[in-house]
Amino acid sequence: MGALADLGLSTGDGPIMLVSAPDSVLAEASRMKPRPAFASSILTAEPTPRILWWPERAQLEPGLLSRLAWMTSVARGEAWLILDPAEPESPAPEELEPLLPAASLALVERRPIGRGELALRVRPRGA
């Protein structure tokens, strides 16, 4: 199964935005009807009820995480941050989780998926 299937996500339940998704996820998404929206970075992504983002260490800055919080708040949704320990640029959960409160994000769930990835489900604090 792919990341979307592992998380139980389909566009039949509403819009999904994929941000910096790997090719395997893009292939999985291409089989969905309607297809999820795609963005190359969190800066070009749009507010969507469900956002999946594959962040890199260099993107762990307050402004980008706050943008994610704003997008999920405006869309009244949630986001999944997908971490891949096989990718050198992917942050470890210990690097990312302490940054969430300052960005007004609350960790809701940690779920292992796919081929060793870890999905962190977050929502805006107070939502």
Side-chain angles (χ1 to χ4, degrees):
M1 285 217 263
L4 297 169
D6 287 350
L7 293 171
L9 300 174
S10 78
T11 51
D13 298 327
I16 298 173
M17 170 73 63
L18 303 175
V19 182
S20 305
D23 291 342
S24 62
V25 175
L26 297 177
E28 178 187 6
S30 72
R31 294 186 292 274
M32 296 178 144
K33 301 285 185 224
R35 289 191 176 104
F38 304 95
S40 60
S41 77
I42 200 71
L43 292 173
T44 59
E46 297 179 8
T48 309
R50 294 172 300 160
I51 298 171
L52 280 78
W53 179 26
W54 285 257
E56 294 182 354
R57 277 190 179 93
Q59 298 167 327
L60 297 183
E61 56 183 65
L64 295 179
L65 291 171
S66 293
R67 178 170 171 75
L68 178 64
W70 170 78
M71 288 192 306
T72 54
S73 178
V74 167
R76 296 185 182 171
E78 63 186 16
W80 291 91
L81 299 162
I82 312 297
L83 310 180
D84 186 352
E87 289 294 324
E89 296 303 316
S90 183
E94 299 78 26
E95 294 173 273
L96 180 59
E97 288 178 19
L99 304 174
L100 297 176
S104 297
L105 289 167
L107 179 63
V108 175
E109 177 184 2
R110 295 173 108 210
R111 187 185 306 179
I113 61 167
R115 300 168 304 227
E117 297 113 333
L118 178 65
L120 304 177
R121 184 165 55 132
V122 297
R123 287 192 182 130
R125 291 175 95 187

